[in-house]
Amino acid sequence: MRKLVYFDGTSNEDLGLVFLGGEIGDPEVRTMGVDVPYRDGILDLTDYYGNVRFKNRTITLEFVVDPSVDREEAVEKAMRLNGKRVKLEVPNRPGEYFMARLKVRKPKITNSPRLDLTVTADAEPYCYEDITIIRSFLATGDVVCPNKEMITSPTIVTDAAITAVFGTTTVTLAAGEHYVSAFRFTEGNNTITITPTSSANLKILYTRGRQ
């Protein structure tokens, strides 16, 4: 089975490239320290606001131009990706994606018929997955929203007015689509209690992320 890489839905095969392999680097912790006079060591404020933040990660992808296609056309297509920010899907993370800005290194001119091409991605630290939960309510009930490492907030789409409770936070929503920034999902199961004014059909959408 061929392993494919997708750039905003366009596969490497669409570009005339064969995927050879790659490496997904780990994101570096974004540290913060203050050197306080007359104090031993450094005052570490890295998780002062409750959670650790990360810098971008580097993803390196190696390709070779498919010998069965026009080489110049394949290189031209690949170079159009240079500098672009894309949704990047790689073979070992099925159903997930990275958001990254690409740097495409043009193949060297040699006597060999083989043309190698390297794509380097400056990617956000998390690997994302879009989640949609669909539920219907005639009376008060719970929705459990499993989340991974990245803190995230949901969008709630409802066809009737509802009251939604998450932890100590209560919001009243009219029919329509609402981004609820006050609901902050952490790692694990996050429960929202829904009370409809009448029957209500809901979609809860959120993006979760892991390293």
Side-chain angles (χ1 to χ4, degrees), residues 83-122:
K84 286 191 174 180
R85 177 176 165 82
V86 300
K87 178 180 178 180
L88 176 63
E89 299 169 79
V90 295
N92 65 333
R93 300 283 181 107
E96 299 175 300
Y97 61 92
F98 295 96
M99 294 304 301
R101 191 166 298 281
L102 305 181
K103 180 180 180 181
V104 182
R105 190 173 69 196
K106 208 166 188 177
K108 294 179 180 179
I109 300 174
T110 66
N111 292 327
S112 171
R114 169 172 164 151
L115 282 181
D116 293 310
L117 188 141
T118 301
V119 176
T120 304
D122 181 25

Side-chain angles (χ1 to χ4, degrees), residues 168-209:
T168 59
T169 303
T170 300
V171 296
T172 300
L173 305 176
E177 180 175 322
H178 309 271
Y179 175 66
V180 189
S181 60
F183 291 0
R184 289 173 60 79
F185 292 170
T186 55
E187 187 172 5
N189 289 330
N190 298 266
T191 302
I192 302 175
T193 301
I194 303 293
T195 301
T197 54
S198 59
S199 63
N201 298 302
L202 266 70
K203 278 186 188 178
I204 298 178
L205 307 99
Y206 60 100
T207 298
R208 63 187 186 186

Side-chain angles (χ1 to χ4, degrees), residues 22-103:
E23 181 180 358
I24 300 174
D26 295 323
E28 182 183 344
V29 175
R30 187 178 294 280
T31 58
M32 172 66 72
V34 178
D35 192 357
V36 181
Y38 310 109
R39 182 186 188 278
D40 290 331
I42 298 293
L43 182 61
D44 187 353
L45 301 177
T46 300
D47 53 0
Y48 181 80
Y49 289 104
N51 55 296
V52 176
R53 300 291 183 178
F54 297 89
K55 297 181 182 180
N56 278 8
R57 69 168 85 217
T58 299
I59 301 173
T60 305
L61 304 169
E62 301 289 346
F63 301 91
V64 63
V65 175
D66 188 335
S68 67
V69 304
D70 184 291
R71 302 196 325 164
E72 290 187 8
E73 183 180 348
V75 171
E76 183 182 339
K77 286 181 180 178
M79 291 307 300
R80 289 177 193 154
L81 294 173
N82 191 37
K84 286 191 174 180
R85 177 176 165 82
V86 300
K87 178 180 178 180
L88 176 63
E89 299 169 79
V90 295
N92 65 333
R93 300 283 181 107
E96 299 175 300
Y97 61 92
F98 295 96
M99 294 304 301
R101 191 166 298 281
L102 305 181
K103 180 180 180 181

